[in-house]
Amino acid sequence: MARASALRRVGLLVLAVNGALVLAKGAVWYLTGSLAVGSEAVNSLADTAYSVVIVAGLYLTTQPPDFEHPHGHERIEPFVGLFVAMGIFAAGGVVLWQAGSTLLSGDVTVTRNPAAIAVLAVAAGAKFLLYRYCLAVGREHRSPAVVATAVDNRNDILTAVAALVGVLGASAGFPLLDPAAALLVGIGIFYTGIEVVRDNVDYLVGAAPPEDLRAEIVRRVLAHPDVEGVHDVIAHYVGPEIDVSMHIEVEGDRTLMEAHNIETEIISRVQDLAEVDDVFVHVDPKEAGEWKEDTDVDRLVGGRWGADGGGSERD
């Protein structure tokens, strides 16, 4: 499935499920007065609101490149993820305020209505299925916004279970378990927001990708038989994709065409990595005196980059 259609389908599915859950939870909350169910209704309402933003954001990010945006629109995705986090924090604040006020007042509405148990159990099951689906699509298509949505759905499973425990505990004669469960729901919502912010900030500030990916980039370069070494390798996020720049070391007796072909092959090898977008290569001939040791390269490939990487040991 094409990336654009896959991401848009995720957004619409999440919106539909969250909309259905907020109606179901809201109705049960109205009938039973359970604060745990009410907190879950607020959580689903926030989920529905940010789902609208996700649908719009994913539509924008999947637009093809144009004159003003020659690299496409994927860099919008981290901002969509951060907007998701804002909605999560707002929902968490409302739930914590309601739970705290009820615990302090001691005025707890106890429900033994099976509808409260049923709606929370259905919500947990629906969120589990959404979590698995969103995570699979987000990883396959390297979408931070969809992965953030998966993380939110995962934590919604935990909060629904906590609310279910609260309802069961209250009906068993421990009424304070209901607002206590709502308090746990609020804390879980906040934790979700922190996770989403942490994951998306790296995309916005140009952080380096994981070390194993950087090591694979270096290994692919050094595996070329005409590359004697590599230094000043810089890999960083530009939105959800990675740009790479480097200096490769070659013997100076290569013709201009040979040097061009080596550079082209290196670019192709690195761009074969699904996470990588652009690759920039500078060729350093030995006679220019620009070859140098690079401790980062040695650390990434175990200090034996010449022999293990496929190139020859430098003189």
Side-chain angles (χ1 to χ4, degrees), residues 64-73:
D66 52 38
F67 184 77
E68 288 80 14
H69 305 89
H71 290 278
H73 300 75

Side-chain angles (χ1 to χ4, degrees), residues 279-295:
V279 181
F280 307 93
V281 176
H282 180 80
V283 179
D284 286 339
K286 182 177 183 180
E287 289 73 13
E290 295 181 357
W291 290 16
K292 65 181 183 180
E293 300 292 335
D294 191 316
T295 56

Side-chain angles (χ1 to χ4, degrees), residues 107-193:
D107 183 15
V108 181
T109 300
V110 177
T111 179
R112 293 177 173 82
N113 193 320
I117 298 172
V119 75
L120 293 174
V122 169
K127 287 296 185 175
F128 175 77
L129 295 176
L130 271 183
Y131 162 66
R132 298 296 300 176
Y133 178 63
C134 292
L135 187 64
V137 174
R139 286 178 173 174
E140 179 183 357
H141 296 285
R142 304 184 308 282
S143 171
V146 174
V147 171
T149 304
V151 172
D152 180 53
N153 284 307
R154 183 197 67 193
N155 285 278
D156 284 344
I157 300 168
L158 302 178
T159 59
V161 171
L164 183 58
V165 170
V167 170
L168 292 172
S171 63
F174 303 96
L176 288 182
L177 279 179
D178 191 302
L183 192 65
L184 289 177
V185 169
I187 294 172
I189 293 172
F190 261 93
Y191 180 75
T192 300

Side-chain angles (χ1 to χ4, degrees), residues 112-296:
R112 293 177 173 82
N113 193 320
I117 298 172
V119 75
L120 293 174
V122 169
K127 287 296 185 175
F128 175 77
L129 295 176
L130 271 183
Y131 162 66
R132 298 296 300 176
Y133 178 63
C134 292
L135 187 64
V137 174
R139 286 178 173 174
E140 179 183 357
H141 296 285
R142 304 184 308 282
S143 171
V146 174
V147 171
T149 304
V151 172
D152 180 53
N153 284 307
R154 183 197 67 193
N155 285 278
D156 284 344
I157 300 168
L158 302 178
T159 59
V161 171
L164 183 58
V165 170
V167 170
L168 292 172
S171 63
F174 303 96
L176 288 182
L177 279 179
D178 191 302
L183 192 65
L184 289 177
V185 169
I187 294 172
I189 293 172
F190 261 93
Y191 180 75
T192 300
I194 293 171
E195 280 193 304
V196 171
V197 169
R198 182 186 60 204
D199 291 342
N200 282 275
V201 164
D202 282 347
Y203 296 127
L204 293 174
V205 301
E211 191 164 297
D212 59 343
L213 179 58
R214 285 180 280 160
E216 178 61 22
I217 290 171
V218 172
R219 280 193 291 266
R220 290 187 176 218
V221 174
L222 294 175
H224 193 288
D226 294 316
V227 173
E228 306 296 333
V230 61
H231 60 266
D232 294 341
V233 180
I234 299 174
H236 63 99
Y237 282 108
V238 180
E241 298 180 326
I242 297 169
D243 282 359
V244 182
S245 64
M246 70 188 75
H247 289 235
I248 61 172
E249 301 166 356
V250 300
E251 296 290 348
D253 59 356
R254 306 298 185 192
T255 66
L256 180 59
M257 183 57 69
E258 288 173 336
H260 166 77
N261 290 338
I262 294 170
E263 175 188 344
T264 301
E265 291 171 14
I266 293 300
I267 291 173
S268 178
R269 288 181 179 213
V270 178
Q271 282 185 328
D272 282 343
L273 291 166
E275 299 90 342
V276 174
D277 182 19
D278 286 331
V279 181
F280 307 93
V281 176
H282 180 80
V283 179
D284 286 339
K286 182 177 183 180
E287 289 73 13
E290 295 181 357
W291 290 16
K292 65 181 183 180
E293 300 292 335
D294 191 316
T295 56
D296 288 335

Side-chain angles (χ1 to χ4, degrees), residues 14-15 18-19 22 25 38-54 83-95 127 152 156 189:
V14 171
L15 176 61
N18 284 330
V22 74
K25 292 176 183 177
S39 66
E40 275 293 287
V42 172
N43 188 19
S44 291
L45 181 62
D47 288 344
T48 303
Y50 84 65
S51 295
V52 175
V53 178
I54 289 175
F83 189 91
V84 171
M86 291 173 59
I88 291 171
F89 286 134
V94 171
V95 171
K127 287 296 185 175
D152 180 53
D156 284 344
I189 293 172

